[in-house]
Amino acid sequence: MKAITRAVSSAMHHCELTHMDRQALDLDRARQQHEAYNQALRKLGVEVIELPEQAELADSVFVEDTALVFDEVAVITHPGAVSRRPETASIAEALEPYRPLRHIEPPAILDGGDVLTIGKNVYVGLSSRSNRDAVEQLKTHLQPFGYRVHGLAMGQCLHLKTAVTALDDQSVLLNPDWVDPALFEGYAIVETHPDEPFGANVVRVGRHLLYGAAYPNTQASIAALGHDVHTVDMSELAKAEGAVTCCSLLFN
Ligand code: GLY
């Protein structure tokens, strides 16, 4: 498995914030946490391709929003935040050796953080960053490969994957205040602990899970189900409204 990541931008303190107040951000600490994240991926057997810093692009560490990588094709997004659109060119260049590329075009907007893929189901959160035009364009790009694309209403959080991610192909971890569990009928549902609203974001790395260290109660629930959970401290990156899925593009 490979992961594309990108070094933390020196301008990260100017990042986009939608549902959070701005807090002082310690850049050195953010860089240390990001390096520990890369190391955690390597320990789980992932080949990490770390792209150089894009100093002028504040949110560019959050590579997840710039592309969706499927086995058959990669889709370069058109991010919802104007400031983030210049991030996609270098990601397209990085993905080109690995996949044929498709592109989301205006009037569609799409952030990868709004796209949760479980098997052949592609769930797209209709957030402030992603719209129905993107759902239609994704259908055009992905239906030929057998994917089913679903647009989902969601609550007051940045991205769909702030609210829900998959623990495996049969179960999801979600915060019921931000996404309706009924939308995931047919999956086993694990809810975040009430004190840990941001605890629904987990990265699947093969049969392992990479998870933020700030959610011990939810982590205990996941581990009790037999999942192999590895934690990383994302506290500084979280001040920029980022979480574990945001920092990598994982693919086989
Ligand atoms: N700060 C991450 C984002 O708003 O996209």
Side-chain angles (χ1 to χ4, degrees), residues 15-18 59 62 65 84 111 129 158-159 240-241:
C15 67
E16 297 282 341
L17 289 173
T18 308
D59 282 299
F62 301 129
D65 294 315
R84 301 204 55 191
D111 277 11
R129 300 285 181 87
L158 180 57
H159 287 131
E241 231 169 342

Coordinates of all heavy atoms in Angstrom, one line a residue, residues 15-18 59 62 65 84 111 129 158-159 240-241, ligand 1:
C15 N -4.9 28.9 7.8 CA -5.8 27.8 7.2 C -7.3 28.3 7.2 O -7.7 29.1 7.9 CB -5.6 26.6 8.0 SG -6.3 26.7 9.7
E16 N -8.0 27.6 6.3 CA -9.5 27.8 6.3 C -10.0 27.2 7.7 O -9.6 26.2 8.2 CB -10.1 26.9 5.2 CG -9.7 27.4 3.8 CD -10.5 28.6 3.4 OE1 -11.5 28.9 4.0 OE2 -10.0 29.2 2.4
L17 N -11.0 27.9 8.2 CA -11.7 27.4 9.4 C -13.2 27.6 9.2 O -13.6 28.7 8.8 CB -11.3 28.1 10.7 CG -9.9 27.7 11.2 CD1 -9.5 28.6 12.3 CD2 -9.8 26.3 11.6
T18 N -14.0 26.5 9.3 CA -15.5 26.6 9.1 C -16.3 26.5 10.3 O -17.2 27.3 10.5 CB -15.8 25.5 8.0 OG1 -15.0 25.6 6.9 CG2 -17.3 25.7 7.6
D59 N -3.5 25.1 3.7 CA -4.1 23.8 4.1 C -3.6 22.6 3.3 O -4.2 21.5 3.3 CB -5.6 23.9 3.8 CG -6.4 24.7 4.8 OD1 -6.4 24.2 6.0 OD2 -7.0 25.7 4.5
F62 N -3.4 18.8 4.0 CA -4.6 17.9 4.0 C -4.9 17.4 2.6 O -5.9 17.8 1.9 CB -5.8 18.7 4.6 CG -5.6 19.2 6.0 CD1 -5.8 20.6 6.3 CD2 -5.1 18.3 7.0 CE1 -5.5 21.0 7.6 CE2 -4.9 18.8 8.3 CZ -5.1 20.1 8.6
D65 N -8.3 16.0 0.5 CA -9.3 16.8 -0.2 C -9.1 17.0 -1.6 O -10.0 17.4 -2.3 CB -9.5 18.1 0.6 CG -10.0 17.9 2.0 OD1 -10.9 17.2 2.1 OD2 -9.4 18.6 2.9
R84 N -8.0 26.6 -1.7 CA -7.4 25.2 -1.8 C -7.3 24.7 -3.2 O -6.7 23.7 -3.4 CB -8.2 24.3 -0.9 CG -8.3 24.8 0.6 CD -8.5 23.7 1.6 NE -7.6 22.6 1.4 CZ -7.7 21.4 1.9 NH1 -8.7 21.1 2.7 NH2 -6.8 20.4 1.7
D111 N -14.7 18.2 -2.0 CA -13.5 17.9 -1.2 C -13.5 16.4 -0.9 O -14.5 15.8 -0.6 CB -13.7 18.6 0.2 CG -13.3 20.1 0.2 OD1 -13.1 20.6 -0.9 OD2 -13.2 20.6 1.3
R129 N -18.7 22.2 1.2 CA -17.5 22.0 0.3 C -17.8 21.1 -0.9 O -17.0 21.0 -1.8 CB -16.3 21.4 1.0 CG -15.8 22.3 2.2 CD -15.0 23.5 1.7 NE -14.5 24.2 2.8 CZ -13.4 24.0 3.4 NH1 -12.6 23.0 3.0 NH2 -13.0 24.7 4.5
L158 N -17.4 19.9 9.2 CA -16.8 20.3 8.0 C -17.0 19.3 6.9 O -17.5 19.7 5.8 CB -15.3 20.4 8.3 CG -14.5 20.9 7.0 CD1 -15.0 22.2 6.4 CD2 -13.0 21.0 7.4
H159 N -16.7 18.0 7.1 CA -16.8 17.0 6.0 C -17.6 15.8 6.5 O -17.7 15.5 7.7 CB -15.3 16.6 5.7 CG -14.5 17.6 4.9 ND1 -13.2 17.9 5.3 CD2 -14.8 18.3 3.8 CE1 -12.8 18.8 4.4 NE2 -13.7 19.1 3.5
A240 N -6.3 23.1 12.9 CA -6.6 23.5 11.5 C -7.8 22.8 10.9 O -8.0 22.7 9.7 CB -5.3 23.3 10.7
E241 N -8.6 22.2 11.8 CA -9.8 21.4 11.4 C -9.4 20.2 10.5 O -10.1 19.8 9.6 CB -10.8 22.3 10.6 CG -12.2 22.2 11.2 CD -13.1 23.3 10.7 OE1 -12.7 24.3 10.2 OE2 -14.4 23.1 10.9
Ligands
GLY1 N1 -8.6 23.7 7.4 C1 -9.0 22.6 6.6 C2 -10.1 23.0 5.6 O1 -10.9 23.9 6.0 O2 -10.1 22.6 4.5

